[in-house]
Amino acid sequence: MPVQTTYSTNSAVACAGLVVRADIVQPWKNGEASASIPFGFAVCPHASLAQTAILPAAETDVVIGIVARYHNHSLDVDLDTTGLKVGATMDVLVKGAMWVTAEDVTTYRGRGWVRCTAGGAGEVVGGITSADEGTETIDTTNYIQHQSVVAAGELVEIEIDFTRK
């Protein structure tokens, strides 16, 4: 059996969906027809299934929170290489702080939008972006605030509060 003899001193600061502070977390089921939902992505309530959430699809969708990474999921049952499988229970952070992958450059205390349509490189539905892109994003600037300056594709801590009206 091989033995590990070297150790990295440059470990990542976090991972997408890692919760920094959980003020309000709610359980929701993945209601997508066939898609997994990754950790650190925003979700909206399903139109007809109670306590079921899906990725946003339109600029008028209402975001309820961001999928949090907890270690209470079964690798064989709930997870695949993308995230939480269809039907899996998700822990959705409604209020608190967490790490997400920034779609583009962020500014300290800058506001965030949620992507509902992916049109270009690096754009993912449910991702957090720092710019309004018209019908491709949902205005969540009253609910998401970046906590540092990072480059596109890097992890950034965000403060969220989806209880605000």
Side-chain angles (χ1 to χ4, degrees):
M1 173 188 293
V3 177
Q4 182 173 354
T5 59
T6 59
Y7 301 89
S8 173
T9 57
N10 299 322
S11 59
V13 67
C15 56
L18 181 67
V19 175
V20 175
R21 189 187 75 251
D23 297 338
I24 300 174
V25 178
Q26 295 177 339
W28 290 78
K29 290 239 185 247
N30 176 351
E32 286 287 333
S34 62
S36 296
I37 298 179
F39 296 112
F41 280 46
V43 290
C44 302
H46 192 282
S48 59
L49 299 173
Q51 282 309 113
T52 303
I54 58 174
L55 292 167
E59 173 181 32
T60 55
D61 285 350
V62 176
V63 176
I64 55 172
I66 301 176
V67 178
R69 181 184 299 268
Y70 283 97
H71 299 285
N72 57 349
H73 298 286
S74 167
L75 184 59
D76 298 330
V77 177
D78 297 328
L79 301 172
D80 62 17
T81 57
T82 304
L84 291 157
K85 293 178 181 178
V86 174
T89 299
M90 306 179 291
D91 297 298
V92 177
L93 186 67
V94 176
K95 183 177 180 183
M98 74 175 350
W99 291 90
V100 299
T101 302
E103 272 198 12
D104 41 24
V105 175
T106 64
T107 59
Y108 174 64
R109 300 181 64 80
R111 298 304 181 153
W113 283 261
V114 169
R115 180 156 312 280
C116 59
T117 305
E123 297 179 353
V124 288
V125 173
I128 311 301
T129 181
S130 60
D132 180 9
E133 295 185 19
T135 58
E136 291 187 4
T137 55
I138 300 168
D139 184 359
T140 52
T141 54
N142 288 333
Y143 316 110
I144 298 175
Q145 184 180 61
H146 296 101
Q147 298 301 300
S148 62
V149 177
V150 301
E154 292 185 2
L155 289 170
V156 62
E157 183 181 338
I158 59 171
E159 184 80 25
I160 68 169
D161 185 353
F162 287 97
T163 64
R164 297 179 185 152
K165 297 294 179 205

